[in-house]
Amino acid sequence: MKMVVLALLYGGTTQMVVAATPVTITNIVSDSFNYPAGPLAPNAGGTGWTSAWQNNGHNSMQVTTPGVLTYPGVTPMGGQINWGGGPFQISDATRTLPAVNSGVVFVRFLAQFSAQSGGGTPNLRFLSGGIETGAIGGNSGCPGIYYSILNAPALSPVGCTGKSLAAMSLVLVQIDYTSSITKMWINPVLSSFDYLNPLAPDAQANLAPAIDQVSLYMRGGSFDELSIFRVTAAAPATAQPVPGLAWPSLLGLALGIALTVAALRRRQTHS
């Protein structure tokens, strides 16, 4: 981030102004799955959500603790969720949140899905009004071993990363509702990631799924640290007075410099 420092004389006091473009991150929802070991539903921790976790009739996702998925820049808390086993191949979990359908938002999570995809898994699905609008993960195609942006309602790949679903990964997704574009990065360097002007994505697709519900479907693997947040440019810094540099001091300094320059010029003229 480049910064420019300006000194302004205003109201009898020198003002130091820093011109910069920092970002403000506003959390919409987040969950670190800091729950006791056992079924995920009906836990209701985290922030911002409008319901507890529930399953959709398949196996319940299971919480294991402590969580073992890690990534630089992400601080894991508590447990993680895993495929639950049981009579069905699929485990699922669903939770609702305030409607997200405007501006630019980011979705971020840690995951180590199963090596194969198909049959509707593994992926994090986005829904609005009970209708699927898109998903992130896999569902065959692409080929099926890679992270993809999935369309709706078919959940077929429309943007393929070439990054393995089976590897432990940080997934970062930008949904731009103004431009109707979704971009995805797998394992970006968070310490230098420019949210306002990000580098080229690993995958991109011309869709922008509205979200008021998320559903996770898996046949194996682990998932943790889910968050959805909005990023905006921060307001400009307010000018702050610098003690000891009131205008009389500056005026005296400027006058002294002018007199010194004039004296030097006179010496050069008479030499």
Side-chain angles (χ1 to χ4, degrees), residues 21 42 114 231 252:
T21 55
S114 55
V231 177

PDB file of all heavy atoms in Angstrom, residues 21 42 114 231 252:
ATOM      1  N   THR A  21      -5.049   4.141   0.735  1.00  0.00           N
ATOM      2  CA  THR A  21      -6.273   3.434   0.371  1.00  0.00           C
ATOM      3  C   THR A  21      -6.379   2.120   1.149  1.00  0.00           C
ATOM      4  O   THR A  21      -6.376   1.039   0.565  1.00  0.00           O
ATOM      5  CB  THR A  21      -6.323   3.144  -1.137  1.00  0.00           C
ATOM      6  OG1 THR A  21      -5.127   2.433  -1.508  1.00  0.00           O
ATOM      7  CG2 THR A  21      -6.433   4.421  -1.935  1.00  0.00           C
ATOM      8  N   PRO A  42     -27.808 -29.306  16.159  1.00  0.00           N
ATOM      9  CA  PRO A  42     -28.294 -27.977  15.845  1.00  0.00           C
ATOM     10  C   PRO A  42     -27.444 -26.862  16.477  1.00  0.00           C
ATOM     11  O   PRO A  42     -28.002 -25.903  17.047  1.00  0.00           O
ATOM     12  CB  PRO A  42     -29.693 -27.992  16.457  1.00  0.00           C
ATOM     13  CG  PRO A  42     -29.492 -28.783  17.735  1.00  0.00           C
ATOM     14  CD  PRO A  42     -28.425 -29.802  17.427  1.00  0.00           C
ATOM     15  N   SER A 114     -12.699 -34.724  -0.451  1.00  0.00           N
ATOM     16  CA  SER A 114     -12.291 -36.026  -0.982  1.00  0.00           C
ATOM     17  C   SER A 114     -11.691 -35.849  -2.375  1.00  0.00           C
ATOM     18  O   SER A 114     -11.901 -34.839  -3.047  1.00  0.00           O
ATOM     19  CB  SER A 114     -13.497 -36.963  -1.032  1.00  0.00           C
ATOM     20  OG  SER A 114     -14.551 -36.376  -1.772  1.00  0.00           O
ATOM     21  N   VAL A 231     -15.829  -6.087   1.553  1.00  0.00           N
ATOM     22  CA  VAL A 231     -14.605  -5.285   1.568  1.00  0.00           C
ATOM     23  C   VAL A 231     -14.858  -3.967   0.841  1.00  0.00           C
ATOM     24  O   VAL A 231     -15.355  -3.958  -0.287  1.00  0.00           O
ATOM     25  CB  VAL A 231     -13.436  -6.026   0.905  1.00  0.00           C
ATOM     26  CG1 VAL A 231     -12.192  -5.143   0.864  1.00  0.00           C
ATOM     27  CG2 VAL A 231     -13.134  -7.313   1.648  1.00  0.00           C
ATOM     28  N   GLY A 252       8.489  31.783  11.178  1.00  0.00           N
ATOM     29  CA  GLY A 252       9.852  32.181  11.529  1.00  0.00           C
ATOM     30  C   GLY A 252      10.885  31.348  10.792  1.00  0.00           C
ATOM     31  O   GLY A 252      11.910  31.869  10.339  1.00  0.00           O
TER      32      GLY A 252
END
